[in-house]
Structure formats: C-alpha cells, structure tokens
Amino acid sequence: MVSIPSLWAPIVLSAVLVFVVSSIVHMALAYHRSDYRPLPREGEALDMLRGLGLAPGLYTFPHCESPKEMGTPEMLAKYERGPVGLLTVLPSRPPAMGKHLAAWFVYCLVIGVFVAYLAGRTLAPGTEYLEVFRVAGTAALMAYGLGYLVLPIWWGQPWATTLKHVFDGLLYALVTAGAFAWLWPA
C-alpha cells in the first residue's frame, strides 16, 4: 500500500500535464471548433430570450411536470410539433476564463487524488512502470473520459462531439498514467 501523501508529486504533475494538454487541445488544435453551432438569426433569438427574463439555470422544452404527463395527448403533440430541447442559461457577463481555468486545475488535482487513492491501495511500492501506468490510466480514463458518454444518451449531444471528448479524456489519462508510473515510489 502506498499513502496518498507520498503521491503528491504525481498528483500535481498529472494535473499540470492535463492542464497543458487540454490547453493545446482547445486552443491550438481545431477539432473542437465544430462542436457548437450558432443560432439561426441569433440577434432575433437573443432578443426573444432576453424578453423572457430567463434566470440562469437549466430549462427543458416542452416541459412537463411528471412522467405521467409525458404520455398525455397534449404533451405528445408538443413533442411532435417541436422543437424539443435543453437550454442552459448562464449569467449575463463575459465568461470568467480565469475562474473556469482555476476550477479546471482543481478538478484535475481532485482526479489525481482519486487516481492516487486507487493506485495506492492496489499497487505496492516498487511496482513496475507498465503496471502502474495501466492502473492509473484506467482510473484516469474513467474520470476524464467515460462520463461524457451519458451526454448523447440523455442530453442529445451529438455522438461525434462526445467521442472527441472521450478522446480528450484518453489523452488526459495517458499523461496522468505516465506521471504516476514515472514518479511511483520505489
């Protein structure tokens, strides 16, 4: 068994590496640029939404209050007539990138702590590089990549977008696994 305090170096290094790789993925590479589409007639659509006075939050449309209501003829007609969707409304201000990036880094540290916990409880000091890489990489992939698979199932996100995020998660898992395997205690 390896304690979490003895794994702070790979925890921090993996967070830094994931942060750098994610920055490269989202700023230098172009494959996420097609993930979002603009609203048709955006100005008119935003004026209409603004007029509704929506508070920040999650909205569904058409909205029903209970599963029983979903099967009523009125609700079925609304679904057929469309559109059907989910809407996330954020506070009306420019994105606070510093705050988001800081939260992302803390998230990466938290994942590193859980990877350390799992690897530390299943691997002994002196475990070979590839064995540490396999365990840490699997745990990191579950954390960084597999959670996205729920988005096309329940939220309607296109599978192509989801698979790009899962691929990103694989990249993050690989650098996490490498950090843990390299710095694993002898």
Side-chain angles (χ1 to χ4, degrees):
M1 185 169 92
V2 178
S3 69
I4 290 176
S6 68
L7 295 173
W8 275 111
I11 290 169
V12 173
L13 178 61
S14 67
V16 168
L17 292 173
V18 168
F19 190 88
V20 169
V21 170
S22 69
S23 297
I24 292 168
V25 163
H26 290 282
M27 292 189 298
L29 303 179
Y31 67 91
H32 278 291
R33 292 196 181 123
S34 62
D35 290 353
Y36 301 97
R37 296 182 287 177
L39 286 170
R41 301 186 346 238
E42 182 180 274
E44 295 173 43
L46 293 178
D47 286 342
M48 188 272 304
L49 288 170
R50 203 174 295 110
L52 296 175
L54 297 174
L58 302 174
Y59 297 87
T60 60
F61 54 91
H63 183 75
C64 56
E65 294 294 327
S66 71
K68 184 178 179 181
E69 186 184 353
M70 285 180 87
T72 64
E74 299 81 18
M75 208 56 214
L76 293 173
K78 288 181 182 181
Y79 284 124
E80 291 293 327
R81 188 170 51 238
V84 176
L86 304 159
L87 175 67
T88 302
V89 175
L90 304 173
S92 296
R93 64 177 179 256
M97 289 307 292
K99 178 181 171 187
H100 294 308
L101 291 171
W104 169 243
F105 186 74
V106 170
Y107 177 75
C108 293
L109 286 171
V110 168
I111 288 176
V113 168
F114 279 93
V115 170
Y117 173 78
L118 180 65
R121 296 303 177 266
T122 59
L123 303 171
T127 300
E128 291 184 23
Y129 181 95
L130 286 178
E131 183 67 13
V132 175
F133 190 94
R134 182 180 62 83
V135 171
T138 300
L141 179 61
M142 290 189 299
Y144 284 119
L146 299 184
Y148 286 105
L149 295 173
V150 75
L151 296 175
I153 294 169
W154 290 107
W155 298 92
Q157 178 173 285
W159 276 100
T161 300
T162 300
L163 293 176
K164 287 186 265 184
H165 287 292
V166 172
F167 176 74
D168 297 346
L170 175 62
L171 296 177
Y172 307 156
L174 292 172
V175 298
T176 299
F180 274 85
W182 178 46
L183 296 173
W184 194 255

